[in-house]
Amino acid sequence: VFTIKGQQHTLPGENVLCIRNPNWWDYFSGLSPLTAALSPIRTDLYQADWEQGFYGDDNAVPTAILSLPPEISETDFIEAREAIREQYGEGRASAIVRAGDLTVEVIQQTMEELQIQVAREFNRDQIYQVFGIPHGLVTGEIASENLYAILANFAQYTVQPILDSFAAQWTLALRPFYGDDFLAQSPNIIPMDRAISV
């Protein structure tokens, strides 16, 4: 019995099928991929929040410091600062100070910043593993000549097993209604290399 907008509707048993994903700890309650990926997803969200706070407007770390001679006048300093920003500073955070001859000091990323970036990449890879997504499929890191092999791998080891599982559960659930000769079969979506086929 399903309740839809306050009204109850009774559906025949053969029209209701529950697809359970594998669960090592409880056969009757399937484990959704989202539940399995919850830990790396939460970790990545916390790290994203930390990054937003770290790189916020009030906590920005400049990528470089440009130093102008200390004897330059206030007017010349303002003009030079605006000219440098206009020509070189667009899209980059640069601090311009008046402390000596024109020098440039580049500020490198700290170890903490680098570790956060590596950790977020690790979280991404964990989430992809849970959902069976091959590395490089959605990141654009795969060359076009290797993309066919990656897609074939994704179809064979991720999508096809899901379709086969659905078909097997349909067979078990619907056989009591349609007889022992009922068999649900999933289509084979694994791409075949024509050369191998020939």
Side-chain angles (χ1 to χ4, degrees), residues 52-117:
Q52 279 187 329
F54 186 82
Y55 293 109
D57 292 338
D58 296 331
N59 196 26
V61 177
T63 58
I65 296 178
L66 307 179
S67 179
L68 298 175
E71 62 272 6
I72 191 172
S73 68
E74 186 68 24
T75 305
D76 291 341
F77 174 73
I78 293 173
E79 289 180 3
R81 182 181 63 189
E82 295 307 316
I84 291 172
R85 280 184 176 159
E86 184 177 339
Q87 294 181 26
Y88 304 106
E90 302 234 349
R92 302 283 293 179
S94 300
I96 302 173
V97 298
R98 185 169 40 182
D101 294 336
L102 178 59
T103 57
V104 178
E105 182 178 349
V106 178
I107 300 176
Q108 302 292 337
Q109 286 184 308
T110 65
M111 286 300 295
E112 289 82 3
E113 295 166 49
L114 293 174
Q115 286 174 351
I116 285 291
Q117 290 180 0

Side-chain angles (χ1 to χ4, degrees), residues 29-51:
S29 297
L31 182 66
S32 73
L34 191 59
T35 302
L38 204 54
S39 179
I41 287 174
R42 282 179 173 161
T43 302
D44 197 61
L45 286 174
Y46 294 147
Q47 289 172 341
D49 289 342
W50 182 88
E51 275 190 313

Side-chain angles (χ1 to χ4, degrees), residues 137-193:
L137 181 63
V138 295
T139 58
E141 300 170 2
I142 300 297
S144 57
E145 59 269 15
N146 298 330
L147 187 58
Y148 179 84
I150 293 292
L151 290 171
N153 186 286
F154 180 58
Q156 182 173 0
Y157 296 108
T158 300
V159 181
Q160 190 66 50
I162 292 173
L163 296 177
D164 293 342
S165 174
F166 285 178
Q169 293 192 53
W170 279 328
T171 299
L172 292 174
L174 298 179
R175 188 167 277 182
F177 299 98
Y178 296 101
D180 291 339
D181 58 346
F182 175 82
L183 178 64
Q185 283 188 315
S186 62
N188 187 350
I189 66 158
I190 303 172
M192 288 297 295
D193 189 331

